[in-house]
Amino acid sequence: MTLFTLDINKRIFKFLLLSIFCFIFTTVYNKFGHGVYSVYMNTLFIWPLIAAITYTTLKVIDKGNNKLGIYLFNTSIVVMIYGSLLVGIFEIAGTASIYTNIYFILGAILFVVGFIILIISKKNHK
């Protein structure tokens, strides 16, 4: 196993741990939520799972990949987690904000740009 394969496995493992943490956090939060649930909160664990699946299936990280693409991709997942968490808390509290849409728009933009940079740098490396 090369160093880069270990790096991929380490990233996948971290995202899986983050997904498990988000699931446990949601479960505990729902337990003390007095029966009020939020779809955004209940699906919070999906964002790091998407990242782990993307890393696993597409093997987007390679020796020649651009660090900027990796950082943008990882940041997009964190932004989506924060956005889902914030919308979930707002829904449980019985309020809303128009500014929470910014998280999902920014997260989608970062995801696409980071993914494109990773794919382009992988093609240039071959």
Side-chain angles (χ1 to χ4, degrees), residues 12-45:
I12 293 169
F13 182 71
K14 286 179 183 179
F15 278 119
L16 289 176
L17 280 180
L18 182 60
S19 185
I20 291 169
F21 173 78
C22 288
F23 181 77
I24 292 170
F25 176 81
T26 301
T27 305
V28 170
Y29 198 93
N30 284 338
K31 181 165 176 60
F32 297 106
H34 306 291
V36 181
Y37 298 100
S38 168
V39 174
Y40 287 96
M41 185 72 81
N42 288 340
T43 58
L44 185 65
F45 70 95

Side-chain angles (χ1 to χ4, degrees), residues 42-89:
N42 288 340
T43 58
L44 185 65
F45 70 95
I46 289 178
W47 299 115
L49 201 59
I50 288 172
I53 290 169
T54 303
Y55 278 129
T56 303
T57 57
L58 300 178
K59 304 230 188 278
V60 292
I61 303 223
D62 196 11
K63 184 177 181 179
N65 279 126
N66 190 336
K67 291 285 186 190
L68 176 64
I70 294 169
Y71 293 144
L72 289 175
F73 184 80
N74 291 344
T75 303
S76 72
I77 299 300
V78 172
V79 168
M80 294 295 217
I81 290 171
Y82 284 152
S84 290
L85 181 64
L86 191 60
V87 171
I89 290 171

